[in-house]
Amino acid sequence: MQEVLLLKCGELVLKGLNRRRFEDKLIRTVKDRMKRIGEFDIWYMQSTIYVEPMNADVDMEAALQAAVRIFGINSVSKAVFCAKDMDEIKKTAEAYLGERLENTRTFKVDAKRADKKFPLGSPEIGREVGGYLAELHPNLKAQMHDPEVTIMVEIRDKGAYISWERLRGAGGMPVGSNGRAMLLLSGGIDSPVAGHMMAKRGLELGAVHYYSYPYTSQEALDKVLHLAEILTNYTGKLTVSTVPFTEIQLEIQKHCHEDYFTIIMRRFMMRIAQRVAEIQNCGALITGESLGQVASQTMEAMTCTQAVCTIPVFRPCVGLDKEEIVDRARAIGTFETSSLPYEDCCTVFTPKHPQTKPKLAKVEEEESKLDVEGLIERALAGVHRTTLG
Ligand code: ATP
Ligand code: MG
């Protein structure tokens, strides 16, 4: 029996005039993700995206796992379809679910009649199919409130769809529906989570990563690319721009007071990220900062790093505890990779007493000892792009 997936769209339903654009984005995303798994016929009707495999050996479990990661989808269910005929519907329900119903005690059948020309109303469809199944399985008892199993029968234009489990979708808005933003992606735990959270709000991502060869290793760089690869399960194609950062760090170390090292370094990161963002058509930056987590993430430090940006900086982890961020990292599958012990460029030159309350004027004074523009230009000249997903 050929299974299909039914993907129910979420928030976009509410978006009035933008609805059409959102739907198009979402359908394109679904097609793009399913292409990795096999050949599917994909179409949209009545707030549902139908994903039908073109041949029998497609891995439907993999398709299901990909579908629950697509932002803009509220729920996903596997279903089978048959002709819009009550006898067909009952027989198909039994063939598809009969075996699983053997070990079930309470159930109900929820019917939905999207095709108003169908002769029976929703309650009658539910009653008839429920009665038929209860007769075949004496262990079954109909229970309207909180049954073990809810079987869904939906009468739609093309046919009748019968499904059981409805999995919760990723929610949020279709990637790209709110524009593009540039994620500052370190090898740490926080920034992949930040990227995931903002992609959920409909942002298409680019990523920028700073590395300090030879102080940081090839393994550290590979780890970041691996994190980006995991993120593509949610974001689709993702281009990582890797930026050589050693000269900048050595120059800061040589010319500026040690206490200001981190904050000045972070200002360079923000400036360069903004340049890369402009080139790649991104309207905002995203970081994994969380208030007070380290010296460079106090309010005063953020004032100093924010000061070099003219586009918004989104910090979705700002109000999360480390434990909450870790939970999210585990849930999206980045935690293990993030925990690999390779040095990040931030940790290589960490000062002993970083300023937790830096004054912007003092930071600017220290920074004036550097050829800021020249350093940025040379770093940008060394950018290398890798596209994943
Ligand atoms: P993370 O766990 O994401 O590494 P963190 O707690 O280690 O964060 P910091 O090292 O202070 O925090 O970095 C704060 C933010 O700055 C990171 O979340 C990330 O967005 C950005 N960042 C830090 N290092 C890099 C890097 N090497 N390349 C790109 N962005 C970086
Ligand atoms: Mg870090």
Side-chain angles (χ1 to χ4, degrees):
M1 210 175 312
Q2 187 54 68
E3 285 184 309
V4 299
L5 294 184
L6 303 184
L7 280 50
K8 303 278 160 86
C9 305
E11 208 169 330
L12 78 152
V13 174
L14 309 170
K15 289 286 165 184
L17 285 177
N18 281 329
R19 181 178 167 156
R20 197 47 209 277
R21 194 168 59 86
F22 281 25
E23 286 167 359
D24 288 347
K25 283 243 184 266
L26 191 52
I27 294 161
R28 229 176 303 142
T29 304
V30 173
K31 287 185 174 167
D32 184 55
R33 299 297 164 78
M34 293 302 157
K35 217 164 45 194
R36 301 179 184 188
I37 292 157
E39 272 189 86
F40 292 89
D41 192 11
I42 293 167
W43 74 95
Y44 177 84
M45 211 191 295
Q46 298 161 323
S47 299
T48 300
I49 296 174
Y50 295 77
V51 178
E52 185 179 339
M54 307 271 267
N55 48 59
D57 55 0
V58 168
D59 182 349
M60 288 305 282
E61 193 47 41
L64 185 76
Q65 289 312 316
V68 294
R69 294 189 167 96
I70 297 174
F71 295 129
I73 300 294
N74 259 14
S75 73
V76 181
S77 40
K78 278 200 240 176
V80 287
F81 65 95
C82 64
K84 284 187 276 188
D85 168 271
M86 281 311 288
D87 272 348
E88 279 287 316
I89 293 170
K90 289 179 202 164
K91 280 189 206 133
T92 308
E94 169 58 19
Y96 185 42
L97 301 172
E99 210 178 301
R100 284 180 262 185
L101 290 174
E102 283 300 312
N103 299 316
T104 306
R105 281 172 303 136
T106 56
F107 85 123
K108 74 170 169 177
V109 178
D110 254 355
K112 216 167 100 186
R113 187 182 57 146
D115 171 11
K116 299 296 176 209
K117 291 195 283 281
F118 193 74
L120 297 185
S122 304
E124 288 93 352
I125 301 168
R127 267 200 302 276
E128 272 209 28
V129 177
Y132 178 82
L133 293 172
E135 218 166 276
L136 291 176
H137 304 273
N139 53 308
L140 278 183
K141 194 167 139 285
Q143 180 176 310
M144 291 308 111
H145 179 68
D146 202 20
E148 277 172 53
V149 165
T150 301
I151 296 167
M152 262 96 47
V153 177
E154 300 183 47
I155 312 292
R156 292 182 165 249
D157 288 354
K158 224 184 148 188
Y161 291 82
I162 298 155
S163 60
W164 178 351
E165 270 171 309
R166 182 176 286 187
L167 299 181
R168 193 171 167 166
M173 297 161 89
V175 161
S177 60
N178 275 327
R180 275 178 63 79
M182 185 59 65
L183 170 66
L184 283 84
L185 181 63
S186 70
I189 295 167
D190 309 334
S191 47
V193 169
H196 177 266
M197 289 173 82
M198 295 318 299
K200 182 170 180 178
R201 292 312 300 161
L203 291 177
E204 192 180 330
L205 302 187
V208 61
H209 174 72
Y210 305 96
Y211 68 98
S212 305
Y213 186 78
Y215 300 96
T216 58
S217 60
Q218 181 62 41
E219 283 92 339
L221 203 53
D222 291 345
K223 168 182 168 181
V224 171
L225 294 178
H226 187 217
L227 285 172
E229 181 83 53
I230 298 170
L231 281 178
T232 65
N233 288 321
Y234 308 92
T235 62
K237 249 188 206 8
L238 179 56
T239 298
V240 183
S241 303
T242 46
V243 186
F245 209 53
T246 316
E247 189 196 359
I248 291 174
Q249 292 190 300
L250 290 175
E251 281 293 293
I252 303 173
Q253 197 180 37
K254 192 160 144 203
H255 298 286
C256 305
H257 192 289
E258 191 193 345
D259 294 359
Y260 291 91
F261 177 88
T262 307
I263 205 76
I264 293 174
M265 176 192 77
R266 295 204 46 79
R267 280 161 61 92
F268 272 97
M269 286 187 175
M270 301 308 266
R271 285 192 182 99
I272 293 170
Q274 186 161 299
R275 301 279 182 100
V276 179
E278 275 159 21
I279 295 164
Q280 295 184 26
N281 233 346
C282 295
L285 303 180
I286 302 168
T287 77
E289 290 164 295
S290 165
L291 188 64
Q293 195 186 76
V294 289
S296 62
Q297 295 175 25
T298 61
M299 253 198 294
E300 293 80 1
M302 285 189 200
T303 303
C304 295
T305 47
Q306 179 80 60
V308 296
C309 298
T310 52
I311 56 177
V313 181
F314 297 142
R315 302 175 175 90
C317 298
V318 77
L320 298 179
D321 293 347
K322 193 73 190 187
E323 244 175 77
E324 292 170 314
I325 301 173
V326 165
D327 286 348
R328 283 172 187 262
R330 284 189 204 280
I332 66 173
T334 53
F335 181 73
E336 272 187 22
T337 305
S338 288
S339 303
L340 295 172
Y342 304 118
E343 294 260 337
D344 183 64
C345 72
C346 291
T347 43
V348 174
F349 298 89
T350 315
K352 281 197 244 13
H353 306 290
Q355 281 283 342
T356 53
K357 296 193 172 187
K359 292 266 183 300
L360 183 56
K362 181 66 188 157
V363 171
E364 285 172 346
E365 187 191 318
E366 284 298 313
E367 210 175 64
S368 67
K369 300 171 186 167
L370 303 172
D371 171 20
V372 172
E373 195 49 40
L375 284 167
I376 290 176
E377 269 165 27
R378 285 194 294 283
L380 285 172
V383 168
H384 184 82
R385 287 196 201 182
T386 311
T387 299
L388 302 155

